[in-house]
Structure formats: structure tokens, C-alpha cells
Amino acid sequence: MAYLTSWFTHPSAPLIISGPCSVENERQILATAQALAQIPEVKLLRGGIWKPRTRPDAFEGRGEEGLAWLLKAKQETGLPVATEVATPEHVEMALKYGVDALWVGARTVVNPFSVQQLADALRGVDIPMFIKNPVSPDLNLWIGAFERFQKAGLKHLAAIHRGFSYYKETAYRNYPMWEIPIELKRMLDVPVITDISHICGCRELLQNTAQKSVDLAFDGLMVECHHDPSRALTDADQQITPDALGELIGALLPRSQQADGSDPMLAALRSEIDDIDAELLQLLARRMNVSSQIGEYKKEKGLTVVQMDRWKQILSEHLNTGMELGLSPELIKKVFEAIHHSSIQRQTSIFENS
Ligand code: PEP
Ligand code: MN
């Protein structure tokens, strides 16, 4: 425990939190915890006791009996334990059983009423608390949750980045949007842990995402582990065995040994650039599609491909807007000439294919 509380003020080594998504039965939590205790980097055992489920008939956690098993795992392994709380009753029960640390889940952080109730229930209690990001990419909502717990007097606060729901289909269960936790860290100066399990939603992406977290200088990982992942009652696709976690940790390249991107600020900015470039590409593709539609329409109406007045007008408008945004006219001219040129080519080929 002393390690845990000192980590909050001086997160010198990455904190690894691991354990099952849900505490399912005594055997499962004990077997998993005993294996995790063999991995020296694992400093905190997680176990979900009350599970927020999307559909009502899913497994919703074992409740109080699960807490007793979690505490037994603590006694047998010496690992401090953490669980998710969503209501004042959860807080009361977790404190009664002597849980060492708590976290607030993504579905709870979206609701300021719930967060305030938790903060009130914890007023004056000095327990380490992790605050997950809200499901939606809303930095202020995340910051607001920190403020509510700070006002209630909690001194050991850290963030958990578990990705965000995103309007587009991606390979991730929850899109990382790394720039948001980076900005949170910059603004609040709190340690930020990466919950790679809920970001990825599958085992295949875990290693790369964990490495990215290290590259971006985040302060630790949360990884869901189960002694028999495929039989897990919740999040079976993303849980790994303790052995696999040991391998994952062993394969991580420490930042200082990276040939490239060893500067965390540089790595963070580059990652932001990669995200922006990805958006630029999407926008370009969208623009070209609209351009094709215009090509079809011009052909149908007997209009010329090049409409010089329109082209002159948009270029001069973009040059002005670009100047206002601090962009050089040279860049704007080059970019839009290239785009316009390519549009013309596309429309010309539509005209030719009659
Ligand atoms: C969890 O950690 O098991 C969990 C429910 O996560 P989240 O709140 O990030 O969805
Ligand atoms: Mn889970």
C-alpha cells in the first residue's frame, strides 16, 4: 500500500493494475491473483464486483460475496485490491471490506450527479481513486470528475484512459484519441494509466497499444487477466492469461532505448499528427466523391468541366481564410491547386466515359 500511495505523488515506475474484468467465483480470482502475484510489475489487483452491463440480462457481478473472495486473494498474495464503484452503496460496501483503491467507470463519469454522490460518500476518506474517462470524448467532463473528488478532499487521484466511443468503425473497441489524455495530463498534472483492454476489445491489439502508451510517456497499464479467458463471463475477447501478461510486459521496449521517438513529447505530437493526417485523408476522399457527383451533373447539363470564375473565387477565399489561420499562401495555393487539378482529372474522365 505504501508503494501505491507514493506512486500517486511520484509515479516513477509504471504502475501495472491487473486482474479479471469480473470476480466470478473464489477459484477464478484466487487462481488469477496467485499467477499475477508472480509478476513483479503487477502492483494492484483489480476485480469487478458490480458490472455496468449494456443489456439487463447479462452477468452483473457477484456483489458482496465477490468482495469477500477479492479480499481473500489479497490475503493470499499480498497484492492490494481495487474495484469499481458506481453508487454510494458500493462505496460503503467496498470500504467495509477494506478495498485498497477504487475506480469510477466510464459509464459513471458521464453523469455528474453520480460522480457527486460518490464524492460525497467519500468525503474525508483517504483512499486512492482512479477516474476513467467518460465514454464520450469530453475532456471537461473528465476534468469535472477530478474536481468533484478533489473538493471532497481526496488526495490520491489518477486517471485511467480507456478509449472513447467514436462515430466511425475502427479496429478498436474504444478509440484511443491519445490527444485527450495527453491534454488531461498537461492540465491537471495527474498520473494517467492506459486501460489497454477496454481500448482494444481484443487480444491482438494489446501489445502495440501498450507500447504506444509507453512511447507516449503514460504512467502505467490496466490489463484484464483471467486464468481461463475464453470462459470469462464478461469481456472474454479481451482478457489474457497472467502468463500472456508477463510476456507482454517483457516485450515492451522502454522509452529510453527506443531508436526513434525516444522523446515523449515528440512521440505525442507525432501521434497527434498521424491522427490529423488520417482525418485529412478521409476528408480528401469525401471531397473527391462530391467532385465526381458534380462531374456527372455537369455532363448531364452540358456544362464545361472547368468553371474558371468558381475556381478563382474559391482559391481567393481559401487564401484569405488561410492567412487568418496563419497558413502561408504558398501552402494554400499548392494544396488547392493539387486538389483542383485532381478534381478536374476525375471529372474529365467522367466526360470521356460516355
Ligand atoms: C471495467 O474496467 O471492467 C469497465 C467496466 O471498464 P469501463 O468503465 O472502462 O467500461
Ligand atoms: Mn471489462
Side-chain angles (χ1 to χ4, degrees):
M1 261 309 274
Y3 177 91
L4 193 59
T5 44
S6 70
W7 175 85
F8 277 81
T9 29
H10 302 287
S12 46
L15 180 74
I16 309 243
I17 306 172
S18 186
C21 178
S22 307
V23 173
E24 299 170 3
N25 56 61
E26 185 172 335
R27 200 178 79 82
Q28 169 243 11
I29 186 65
L30 292 184
T32 307
Q34 273 151 2
L36 287 173
Q38 306 306 310
I39 304 173
E41 291 87 350
V42 174
K43 302 287 192 212
L44 184 58
L45 177 67
R46 64 155 280 159
I49 298 295
W50 301 281
K51 300 302 297 176
R53 305 310 303 280
T54 304
R55 307 285 294 271
D57 292 333
F59 172 67
E60 291 190 312
R62 292 285 179 227
E64 189 167 0
E65 64 176 346
L67 271 181
W69 300 327
L70 188 61
L71 269 292
K72 189 165 179 193
K74 172 184 172 165
Q75 279 156 14
E76 292 202 356
T77 61
L79 282 171
V81 293
T83 199
E84 172 176 346
V85 286
T87 68
E89 294 74 34
H90 297 163
V91 168
E92 194 187 327
M93 193 83 79
L95 294 179
K96 184 175 117 190
Y97 275 81
V99 167
D100 300 285
L102 302 173
W103 81 82
V104 192
R107 289 173 188 76
T108 306
V109 178
V110 289
N111 183 348
F113 288 130
S114 300
V115 174
Q116 191 57 51
Q117 284 184 342
L118 293 176
D120 291 342
L122 284 163
R123 197 169 294 278
V125 180
D126 185 18
I127 188 164
M129 167 67 92
F130 296 87
I131 303 172
K132 288 203 173 193
N133 64 261
V135 176
S136 45
D138 185 337
L139 178 61
N140 281 330
L141 204 49
W142 202 1
I143 291 174
F146 274 87
E147 289 167 345
R148 288 175 199 278
F149 288 110
Q150 271 158 358
K151 279 178 192 273
L154 275 80
K155 304 236 172 330
H156 298 98
L157 297 176
I160 298 178
H161 165 221
R162 48 79 77 199
F164 301 88
S165 69
Y166 196 49
Y167 68 101
K168 274 190 292 213
E169 273 290 309
T170 76
Y172 298 98
R173 179 177 175 192
N174 292 291
Y175 201 54
M177 299 189 199
W178 298 99
E179 63 282 5
I180 296 179
I182 288 169
E183 184 62 5
L184 181 94
K185 205 166 151 62
R186 189 185 69 78
M187 289 178 69
L188 299 187
D189 198 19
V190 288
V192 181
I193 297 274
T194 311
D195 174 350
I196 56 172
S197 301
H198 288 90
I199 288 177
C200 297
C202 64
R203 291 180 263 280
E204 295 69 31
L205 296 172
L206 291 174
Q207 185 78 51
N208 280 348
T209 308
Q211 186 62 53
K212 183 127 179 180
S213 169
V214 172
D215 295 347
L216 296 180
F218 287 113
D219 304 289
L221 299 174
M222 179 181 256
V223 191
E224 287 186 342
C225 271
H226 192 289
H227 74 303
D228 190 359
S230 63
R231 286 171 198 256
L233 297 181
T234 55
D235 288 348
D237 294 343
Q238 70 195 28
Q239 302 207 58
I240 56 175
T241 61
D243 280 354
L245 176 64
E247 283 167 28
L248 182 147
I249 294 170
L252 285 175
L253 304 172
R255 266 186 291 126
S256 53
Q257 286 178 24
Q258 302 254 43
D260 190 20
S262 62
D263 178 334
M265 193 62 206
L266 189 63
L269 290 168
R270 281 180 175 162
S271 148
E272 207 174 329
I273 288 280
D274 290 346
D275 290 348
I276 294 170
D277 285 353
E279 277 181 42
L280 272 177
L281 288 167
Q282 297 283 347
L283 284 174
L284 274 177
R286 236 176 83 199
R287 195 189 190 285
M288 282 303 167
N289 280 338
V290 177
S291 172
S292 299
Q293 287 170 35
I294 293 179
E296 303 278 1
Y297 188 78
K298 284 176 178 166
K299 185 177 169 189
E300 193 189 311
K301 298 286 171 187
L303 299 169
T304 56
V305 166
V306 176
Q307 300 275 316
M308 194 49 82
D309 286 346
R310 161 87 179 147
W311 168 228
K312 279 184 186 164
Q313 181 206 340
I314 58 175
L315 185 60
S316 104
E317 277 173 16
H318 292 349
L319 282 168
N320 285 335
T321 312
M323 292 247 276
E324 277 163 24
L325 293 170
L327 299 166
S328 79
E330 195 196 7
L331 173 69
I332 299 295
K333 208 157 168 283
K334 261 196 198 146
V335 167
F336 279 96
E337 273 173 1
I339 291 175
H340 186 247
H341 181 66
S342 179
S343 254
I344 300 269
Q345 272 181 338
R346 197 177 271 216
Q347 294 186 2
T348 313
S349 73
I350 290 169
F351 272 53
E352 283 164 2
N353 292 331
S354 46

